[in-house]
Amino acid sequence: MTMRELLDARSEMVRFSAAKDILDRSMNDAQIRKAEADADIAEAKAKQISNTDETVRIVFNDNLTPDREDIQGNENQS
């Protein structure tokens, strides 16, 4: 007899136990699917990071004139 067939049993306790077992199994299945999906996402992110061949270049330009806030800030510190 399957759990679904036990849902039609005469005994209320048997029906309750069958329903509880079915719900527990479906929750576990959902948790397993979620964990697998999370693992797939993490793996895809790691693969994306490791496959990046781009180099980040930071360029500093010393030829900029100071902003008003910078000038006022220096005057207040003096």
Side-chain angles (χ1 to χ4, degrees), residues 6-23:
L6 288 176
L7 289 174
D8 295 327
R10 287 186 190 171
S11 168
E12 185 176 341
M13 188 59 144
V14 171
R15 288 193 313 259
F16 173 78
S17 294
K20 185 175 181 307
D21 188 55
I22 290 171
L23 288 174

Side-chain angles (χ1 to χ4, degrees), residues 8-61:
D8 295 327
R10 287 186 190 171
S11 168
E12 185 176 341
M13 188 59 144
V14 171
R15 288 193 313 259
F16 173 78
S17 294
K20 185 175 181 307
D21 188 55
I22 290 171
L23 288 174
D24 287 344
R25 286 184 187 182
S26 66
M27 288 298 291
N28 288 337
D29 291 344
Q31 290 170 344
I32 291 169
R33 283 194 306 274
K34 182 182 182 312
E36 288 174 348
D38 289 342
D40 290 343
I41 290 169
E43 184 178 342
K45 285 181 181 180
K47 186 176 180 181
Q48 184 180 23
I49 290 171
S50 66
N51 287 342
T52 303
D53 293 334
E54 297 177 15
T55 303
V56 176
R57 183 182 300 189
I58 301 173
V59 178
F60 292 98
N61 187 349

